[in-house]
Amino acid sequence: MRTRNRVLACASTTLIACAGVVAAPSAHAANLLTNPGFESGNLTGWSCSGGSGSVVGSPVHSGTKALAAAATASTNARCAQTVSVQPNTAYTLSGWVRGAYVHLGVTGGTAAWTPSASTYTRLSVSFTTGASQTSAEVYLHGWYGQGTYNADDISLDGPGGGDDDEAPTAPANLRVTGTTSSSVALAWNAASDNVGVTGYDVYRDGTLATSVTGTTATVGGLSPSTAYSFTVRAKDRAGNTSPDSAAVRATTQPGGGGPGFVQAAPYLYLGWGNPPSATEVMRATGIKWYTMAFILAQNGCNPAWDSQRPLLGGVDETTIKAIRAAGGDIVPSIGGWSGNKLGPNCATAQALAGAYQKVIDAYDLKAIDVDIENTDEFENPAVQDRILTALKIVKQNNPGLRTILTFPTLRTGPNSWGNRLIEQAKALDAGIDNWTIMPFNFSGHDDMYGATISATEGLKAKLKSVFGWSDAEAYAHIGISGMNGSSDVGEVTTPQIWTQIRDWSNAHHIGRLAFWSVNRDRPNWEFTRITAGFTG
């Protein structure tokens, strides 16, 4: 494919002056763009050719929204915005883009572009305005026939145009409204300005953390049990910025449960499908965790691998030791779709907790996963409650243990049995750390990326409703367990689709990513390598 170099040579007729022109000093740098992160949920401030642009919830670079613009054979999906600027002044235009041959530039001036960005990539250009220039048009576009590109967090830094030199007042009453082990939620009172406040910059320990248009923000990517200081500045369209608000301090929650628990753990099944060498796959892909399948019941309420292999003294224990010697770890999958399961075979929650404890003690586990499916467990109220109560007991008896529930889902989120499971977990105070859905087997649905995201968003909404969590808290309690290649009903998840799902999962900071299974990921372990890039 051929592309034109969009970087224009310096000419006296261009609107943007060339390098070497002395720029007037800039008193306060500010983002001059309206709706720079598309967090308004619409294209306010932007104009996209031929209706090619829209605002989407994923994939995003930060926040909850981003631009999606579809480049077809007849349009390069150009989206632009014009702002007021000052003459003879230096500006920096930057942004995060994703897609093929995405351009970011200034009309009549310079541009930057990327030939192929499978994940969000930062582009940046600097320019100096002409001697009499008072406006500049910034733009994004893809390339003809190259499909949809995404853009987020676009910034034009420098002083605004016009005669307004009055800064907004400092935001008042900055306060902490919530914390997790990896995020802090903030709110403040609106600032005032002679013309109007256009947004706020939130600083963490003196470094810009995020920009918003409203009076609330959540700063993510933080470390557990760590103190941070936050301030906020207001800004107006002319580029004037307010003084800092009064600082507020917040300490994130410990990482010992729920948010902050991150696990990339594809399934490894030693009882089926010519199982590969776990350590060879680790060396080839960088994966550290495995979900090892399956712990079932043997002779009543006794745990065993596939109902037949002992916990200790067999290939499973040998494999776990090798994984740990190589710097990794495992979480056992207890249950599954078929087989003789512990949930129905252990008569009481206490007996079931005892069975779980045998597994925990055998391997000194950091986490356990109960894969609750089918009519014998998932669609059985008594067994649901037994499992939840047993998990509550083992959490009480094993401080720091993480508990995971893996269960089926609809495209729209949990079905009635999934909703009951979540509601009962709240009622019983089970303290489940991660809710992992299996978004496949949707009767041949052909958009596996869209279906996965829709199902995950439905789970998020349910968790928020039941537990009263914020978006960030709900995402941190969520896991996705997909199926590489073809599902049982013929749906196909390609490596490209799985990469999209992983990137969305990273952008939304969910807690867990898995797939069924490494045994099927041959010959190059491509899905495992993609999963190893999950960072939560």
Side-chain angles (χ1 to χ4, degrees), residues 139-493:
Y139 65 81
L140 294 145
H141 69 71
W143 200 252
Y144 298 96
Q146 294 303 302
T148 298
Y149 70 87
N150 297 105
D152 200 359
D153 298 329
I154 314 302
S155 176
L156 178 62
D157 287 335
D163 298 326
D164 178 17
D165 58 1
E166 182 176 330
T169 62
N173 192 26
L174 177 62
R175 56 201 182 273
V176 177
T177 59
T179 62
T180 71
S181 62
S182 60
S183 67
V184 172
L186 302 166
W188 55 90
N189 295 352
S192 61
D193 184 67
N194 62 317
V195 175
V197 173
T198 58
Y200 299 88
D201 292 332
V202 180
Y203 290 82
R204 183 197 69 216
D205 295 327
T207 300
L208 181 64
T210 187
S211 297
V212 296
T213 56
T215 57
T216 61
T218 297
V219 179
L222 308 180
S223 299
S225 301
T226 303
Y228 296 93
S229 177
F230 299 92
T231 57
V232 179
R233 297 176 190 169
K235 54 191 177 183
D236 63 18
R237 180 172 291 279
N240 303 306
T241 57
S242 76
D244 286 336
S245 69
V248 67
R249 294 186 65 82
T251 300
T252 51
Q253 296 180 14
F261 171 44
V262 175
Q263 190 184 77
Y267 279 83
L268 176 66
Y269 189 15
L270 299 186
W272 163 83
N274 186 24
S277 164
T279 52
E280 287 182 11
V281 176
M282 292 172 70
R283 285 192 292 269
T285 66
I287 201 70
K288 294 296 184 184
W289 280 82
Y290 290 103
T291 304
M292 281 186 60
F294 287 102
I295 295 283
L296 296 172
Q298 182 183 44
N299 299 324
C301 187
N302 298 303
W305 293 102
D306 286 342
S307 293
Q308 53 187 302
R309 300 190 306 278
L311 297 179
L312 299 177
V315 64
D316 304 276
E317 182 190 19
T318 300
T319 300
I320 292 170
K321 287 181 176 178
I323 291 169
R324 286 175 167 171
D329 211 338
I330 70 102
V331 55
S333 179
I334 302 172
W337 174 259
S338 60
N340 198 28
K341 298 162 197 171
L342 289 168
N345 277 279
C346 297
T348 66
Q350 290 71 25
L352 182 57
Y356 293 163
Q357 191 65 52
K358 290 179 182 178
V359 184
I360 295 166
D361 291 343
Y363 308 118
D364 191 22
L365 293 173
K366 299 180 180 69
I368 61 171
D369 168 39
V370 177
D371 186 338
I372 179 170
E373 299 186 53
N374 220 324
T375 56
D376 55 350
E377 290 192 312
F378 186 55
E379 298 179 10
N380 185 319
V383 176
Q384 273 199 8
D385 292 354
R386 190 179 303 155
I387 290 171
L388 290 168
T389 304
L391 289 173
K392 178 179 179 178
I393 292 170
V394 296
K395 283 203 71 170
Q396 292 171 339
N397 293 337
N398 301 269
L401 180 76
R402 316 293 178 78
T403 54
I404 305 162
L405 277 176
T406 298
F407 58 104
T409 183
L410 303 173
R411 296 175 194 148
T412 53
N415 65 10
S416 61
W417 290 107
N419 286 333
R420 183 195 184 278
L421 186 68
I422 294 168
E423 291 161 3
Q424 284 298 100
K426 169 67 172 177
L428 296 170
D429 193 23
I432 303 302
D433 294 296
N434 186 276
W435 301 86
T436 295
I437 53 170
M438 296 180 286
F440 52 83
N441 289 354
F442 294 133
S443 300
H445 190 48
D446 59 358
D447 178 11
M448 292 307 291
Y449 172 75
T452 298
I453 303 313
S454 174
T456 308
E457 290 289 355
L459 173 60
K460 180 201 74 172
K462 183 63 178 179
L463 293 176
K464 288 179 63 178
S465 172
V466 171
F467 292 101
W469 291 333
S470 66
D471 280 358
E473 289 171 318
Y475 282 130
H477 284 84
I478 285 175
I480 294 173
S481 181
M483 185 174 280
N484 55 318
S486 179
S487 73
D488 300 317
V489 297
E491 305 151 335
V492 176
T493 298

Side-chain angles (χ1 to χ4, degrees), residues 32-49:
L32 304 181
L33 297 177
T34 298
N35 199 16
F38 307 94
E39 294 300 313
S40 66
N42 55 45
L43 293 172
T44 298
W46 297 90
S47 176
C48 297
S49 61

Side-chain angles (χ1 to χ4, degrees), residues 473-521:
E473 289 171 318
Y475 282 130
H477 284 84
I478 285 175
I480 294 173
S481 181
M483 185 174 280
N484 55 318
S486 179
S487 73
D488 300 317
V489 297
E491 305 151 335
V492 176
T493 298
T494 64
Q496 292 74 27
I497 292 172
W498 190 240
T499 299
Q500 284 183 291
I501 292 170
R502 181 206 63 190
D503 291 348
W504 184 94
S505 300
N506 281 339
H508 290 76
H509 308 299
I510 73 168
R512 187 167 184 261
L513 189 66
F515 70 88
W516 178 265
S517 62
V518 177
N519 302 55
R520 305 168 70 234
D521 190 22

